[in-house]
Amino acid sequence: MSALRPHPFDPLSPQEISKTVRVLKDAYPNHKLVFRVVTLAEPPKALMIPFLEAEHAGRTVKPPARTARVQFYRDTATDFREALVELDTGKIVDEQTLPGRHSYVDSTDMQAAEKACLAAPEVKEAIRMLKLPDNATVCIEPWTYGTDGMNDMTERIIMCYFYMRLSDHGDSNHYAYPLDVCVEMSGDLTVKRILSLPSGENDRCGLLNEVGVKPFDRNKIHATSEYHPDLVNERRTTTKPYHVVQPQGPSFRTQGNLLAWEKWRMRVGFNYREGLTLHDITYDGRSVFYRLSLSEMFVPYGDSRAPYPRKGAFDLGNNGAGINANNLKLGCDCLGHVKYFDGYHHTTAGDPIKLPNVICCHEIDDGILWKHTNYRTGNAVVTRSRVLVLQTIITVGNYEYIFAFQFTQDASINYEVRATGIMSTAPINLGDSVPYGTLVGPGVMAPYHQHLFSLRIDPAIDGFRNSLVVEESHPMPIDDPNVHNPFGVGYTIVSRFVENETGLDTDVSKGCVFKIVNENVKNPITGGPVGYKLVPHYSQMVLAHPSSYHFKRSEFGEHAVWVTRYHDDELYSSGKHTMQSLGGEGIASWIRSRPAPVSVRNEDIVIWHTFGTTHNPRIEDWPVMPVEKMLVSLKPVNFFTKNPAIDVPISTQEENKSVLVEADRGVTTSCARL
């Protein structure tokens, strides 16, 4: 590609953002435009496939047109629009209004809501009624409205939950003091209602001006919920520095957004909603995946008392993984030789802004990759595993999520999610308990909730026509005269191709895995199709009742695995517009809306994996929780003719230069002998 022209998968540059904004402003010179999204509209896959094939073959062809997708408000909060702008020509090639839809909420919106809420006279009066300590600082945490059927969703609503700090330190943990009131605010930042929250299992929510509010119970004051090092006296001194040293530098290479490491090659993308995306992933010149991304995540809370059913957050669709991406710090979030990728966003006026260091790329040691010791000779061959990590971290209110794609030397890809941060809390009477939450402090209840993630896997296993196979391991019958299993130890696999679009479930008792195969390419040794298998993270699916809005809105949370035929506009498994959505817009609805069952065998398909954690809090998660790890793997299955990592150099002390803690004359310095 020319250095002057970005690759079709490259995110929009600041110059392209500015050009797009100018086109819209020129089209509406007498209107006020509020820009919410200016991002790359990825080229249609039908155009990208011949372009990529030519690129891999070293041929130069004209790339697909660069197009920007724009979402903006025109004059009022009810005139929400989406447009496509062709960057080469400066033409608006498509535009539509989005009645009843709402944009995501960002930190600017949240700060404006908090400021407006605290300034409202009726809110000041509600705070006065709480009779808080003189040194209290009231903090408000705005939440996007999780639909519960109690309001008109064509109006944007923000829920403001109240907390209290009893320290002048800005990082004091205000979640330790949830207060008994919350406020509904409209999209124009006016107060709709002030609610008195339930404080016990049998309490019910009510309007503050009708039921009143109890003064804050000062017996709830405690000093055990801080996490910031300035406020915590305990500090262990046994952990010594750990340095990652690569004397010859890292093994990866980058050219713009093109990344190569070992036999892997891919393009790194980033956008406001999904955050980190990966494109055109190949191994040793063979196509493996067209696109990998986190499609959506949903956090439904299980406290059944109003207004808490409104806590159902789509942290991508409502908030944006890209917008909330951290500026990763050298020596903190990533260690060793680190390459950072920046992202770009924009202000509401359309001015480009840089999001620095939103992705870090580095290598880690991952223990032993493979080893064998010949007991006859005493010789051992051991190879250590090196892993390439592409990581991004987002902060959404109280929680942090660490997302990492991990590429291995044996041609596997892992997707690891770690959840940390501070649990959202609710007030509770001293001495009370509830069946859907854990007490983590005096008057502090952490409600049960789930974190459900939807990983979108767009395969290209040796080509773009793939199939999905469900494989289970079953014991062989012992009393069937047609089966030879006299000792009862035999087991075999049962496999079936998935013929049509559908949702599927895992079964750990049967070792269920899902193979993505190319039936048109046979392995010369096994005789079967080449493929990759999805090793799922076994998880509980959404627990909310099918009649609930939690269930209706999440859709992907009903099944662990979905398979659909590829469509350019089907990227988000709970629909394009999740803010105050009513359901019926995601992956299950796509399948139901087709005029007839759609074949997914030997077709261009997409696999969606739902996984996560049912987080029933424990006291060890407080005041800040250690990471909860979740891991999904994509592993080659009969893709090669032998172990693809057989050529990885063996480990030697001469190369690795490990150091003995204590002198031991009997310790050998060779990895090759026992």
Side-chain angles (χ1 to χ4, degrees):
M1 293 295 297
S2 166
L4 299 178
R5 186 178 181 90
H7 189 274
F9 282 142
D10 284 352
L12 294 186
S13 67
Q15 295 77 15
E16 289 176 317
I17 292 172
S18 295
K19 180 175 182 178
T20 302
V21 168
R22 284 198 305 272
V23 170
L24 268 299
K25 286 184 175 180
D26 289 345
Y28 295 106
N30 300 317
H31 296 270
K32 178 184 178 182
L33 305 186
V34 176
F35 292 92
R36 302 300 292 159
V37 173
V38 183
T39 193
L40 176 70
E42 292 178 17
K45 193 174 184 180
L47 299 181
M48 280 303 300
I49 289 174
F51 174 82
L52 294 175
E53 290 174 342
E55 183 182 49
H56 294 168
R59 303 194 310 270
T60 300
V61 297
K62 183 179 179 181
R66 297 263 301 167
T67 302
R69 185 180 305 278
V70 189
Q71 291 180 1
F72 63 100
Y73 289 101
R74 193 184 74 164
D75 297 329
T76 69
T78 58
D79 191 354
F80 189 37
R81 298 178 175 229
E82 181 173 275
L84 295 177
V85 176
E86 196 175 73
L87 287 165
D88 287 340
T89 63
K91 292 181 179 178
I92 300 174
V93 293
D94 184 60
E95 183 175 351
Q96 56 182 305
T97 58
L98 304 171
R101 302 296 192 179
H102 309 284
S103 179
Y104 62 86
V105 169
D106 59 18
S107 59
T108 301
D109 298 323
M110 294 173 68
Q111 291 168 7
E114 181 175 13
K115 182 178 179 181
C117 188
L118 287 172
E122 58 268 49
V123 173
K124 290 181 178 179
E125 175 60 19
I127 294 173
R128 188 194 65 77
M129 293 169 62
L130 289 169
K131 298 182 180 179
L132 301 176
D134 292 340
N135 63 333
T137 300
V138 175
C139 305
I140 291 177
E141 184 172 86
W143 273 65
T144 56
Y145 191 110
T147 308
D148 62 355
M150 302 300 291
N151 277 290
D152 177 8
M153 292 295 91
T154 60
E155 178 188 17
R156 181 164 162 175
I157 300 172
I158 299 173
M159 297 296 298
C160 292
Y161 294 92
F162 284 61
Y163 300 86
M164 176 179 71
R165 275 202 336 258
L166 290 178
S167 169
D168 292 335
H169 196 290
D171 289 309
S172 179
N173 184 12
H174 59 270
Y175 296 104
Y177 296 105
L179 301 177
D180 291 339
V181 297
C182 78
V183 172
E184 290 181 19
M185 296 195 74
S186 62
D188 61 1
L189 300 184
T190 58
V191 174
K192 290 172 63 68
R193 299 179 188 87
I194 303 178
L195 303 176
S196 177
L197 295 176
S199 294
E201 181 181 357
N202 298 315
D203 291 348
R204 295 295 177 261
C205 177
L207 295 174
L208 185 72
N209 59 3
E210 294 179 359
V211 301
V213 64
K214 295 178 295 184
F216 175 75
D217 185 349
R218 301 192 180 207
N219 291 317
K220 293 181 177 180
I221 295 175
H222 60 286
T224 59
S225 293
E226 298 296 353
Y227 71 93
H228 195 277
D230 293 350
L231 304 171
V232 176
N233 293 326
E234 308 136 274
R235 187 68 50 193
R236 70 177 68 182
T237 58
T238 54
T239 305
K240 296 183 179 180
Y242 176 83
H243 294 168
V244 178
V245 179
Q246 293 178 272
Q248 298 179 21
S251 302
F252 60 80
R253 307 179 309 280
T254 61
Q255 181 180 352
N257 285 62
L258 178 63
L259 170 63
W261 177 79
E262 299 281 307
K263 298 180 180 181
W264 290 104
R265 181 185 184 275
M266 70 201 74
R267 292 195 175 271
V268 179
F270 185 85
N271 63 63
Y272 80 101
R273 180 165 175 161
E274 299 163 289
L276 170 63
T277 59
L278 297 177
H279 308 260
D280 188 26
I281 303 163
T282 64
Y283 185 89
D284 202 15
R286 295 173 68 181
S287 173
V288 181
F289 295 98
Y290 179 76
R291 192 181 195 271
L292 295 175
S293 66
L294 183 65
S295 172
E296 189 55 87
M297 59 175 292
F298 184 49
V299 188
Y301 280 74
D303 189 335
S304 58
R305 303 167 300 171
Y308 296 123
R310 296 175 185 177
K311 283 192 170 184
F314 288 98
D315 285 342
L316 270 63
N318 288 6
N319 301 98
I323 293 167
N324 289 287
N326 290 185
N327 181 345
L328 303 178
K329 301 300 183 182
L330 196 64
C332 303
D333 300 299
C334 312
L335 299 180
H337 289 248
V338 181
K339 159 69 179 177
Y340 289 110
F341 293 89
D342 299 326
Y344 289 93
H345 192 52
H346 52 86
T347 66
T348 55
D351 299 320
I353 53 175
K354 184 177 180 179
L355 305 177
N357 301 348
V358 290
I359 300 168
C360 69
C361 174
H362 63 121
E363 294 173 282
I364 61 172
D365 177 89
D366 193 40
I368 292 175
L369 177 61
W370 59 266
K371 177 177 180 175
H372 180 64
T373 301
N374 186 328
Y375 74 89
R376 294 178 178 85
T377 65
N379 290 331
V381 178
V382 57
T383 296
R384 294 195 66 80
S385 173
R386 187 81 59 84
V387 172
L388 179 75
V389 178
L390 282 160
Q391 177 176 281
T392 185
I393 304 174
I394 70 172
T395 300
V396 187
N398 53 301
Y399 261 110
E400 267 77 19
Y401 298 98
I402 303 161
F403 303 119
F405 282 104
Q406 303 169 349
F407 292 83
T408 72
Q409 292 166 305
D410 65 346
S412 297
I413 303 173
N414 298 323
Y415 186 64
E416 183 186 76
V417 176
R418 300 187 183 198
T420 180
I422 300 177
M423 294 179 293
S424 181
T425 56
I428 190 169
N429 297 322
L430 291 174
D432 282 359
S433 63
V434 292
Y436 31 72
T438 302
L439 301 179
V440 295
V444 190
M445 188 270 286
Y448 300 164
H449 57 283
Q450 294 182 280
H451 303 262
L452 297 173
F453 304 88
S454 176
L455 179 63
R456 185 179 184 275
I457 304 163
D458 188 345
I461 310 299
D462 267 348
F464 295 94
R465 289 189 176 273
N466 294 159
S467 303
L468 182 66
V469 176
V470 180
E471 180 179 283
E472 300 173 345
S473 296
H474 290 253
M476 294 168 61
I478 196 171
D479 53 2
D480 186 338
N482 298 315
V483 176
H484 182 72
N485 187 26
F487 300 99
V489 300
Y491 76 90
T492 187
I493 61 170
V494 176
S495 300
R496 65 177 177 89
F497 282 92
V498 179
E499 300 292 341
N500 298 315
E501 292 184 318
T502 190
L504 302 158
D505 292 311
T506 56
D507 189 341
V508 68
S509 70
K510 297 175 182 176
C512 183
V513 296
F514 301 86
K515 292 183 177 179
I516 310 166
V517 302
N518 188 331
E519 296 184 70
N520 308 297
V521 181
K522 303 296 183 182
N523 186 292
I525 295 177
T526 69
V530 298
Y532 263 68
K533 68 177 179 179
L534 166 66
V535 182
H537 180 82
Y538 288 98
S539 311
Q540 196 168 24
M541 294 296 100
V542 64
L543 286 165
H545 191 270
S547 66
S548 70
Y549 280 102
H550 279 354
F551 187 95
K552 292 176 182 177
R553 299 176 70 217
S554 61
E555 291 214 351
F556 70 85
E558 184 179 358
H559 294 290
V561 174
W562 300 80
V563 55
T564 61
R565 184 86 70 85
Y566 176 87
H567 292 272
D568 284 324
D569 61 347
E570 291 182 354
L571 289 174
Y572 313 123
S573 53
S574 279
K576 292 181 181 178
H577 304 284
T578 60
M579 181 69 76
Q580 299 180 192
S581 60
L582 298 174
E585 302 177 41
I587 191 167
S589 296
W590 302 338
I591 295 173
R592 285 193 295 264
S593 68
R594 318 284 198 221
V598 175
S599 172
V600 291
R601 186 165 179 181
N602 199 24
E603 298 285 357
D604 189 358
I605 61 174
V606 178
I607 310 299
W608 315 73
H609 177 35
T610 306
F611 67 98
T613 180
T614 298
H615 188 186
N616 302 328
R618 53 188 184 131
I619 191 62
E620 289 83 2
D621 292 331
W622 184 257
V624 61
M625 64 178 285
V627 294
E628 180 82 8
K629 297 181 185 178
M630 293 147 272
L631 187 74
V632 178
S633 294
L634 294 163
K635 293 179 174 289
V637 55
N638 302 326
F639 191 72
F640 300 98
T641 57
K642 61 183 177 182
N643 176 358
I646 201 72
D647 60 346
V648 176
I650 64 171
S651 297
T652 66
Q653 167 60 4
E654 292 74 21
E655 189 76 21
N656 294 327
K657 294 181 172 48
S658 295
V659 178
L660 289 174
V661 175
E662 297 178 0
D664 188 340
R665 295 179 182 176
V667 174
T668 179
T669 59
S670 172
C671 300
R673 296 188 65 85
L674 291 174

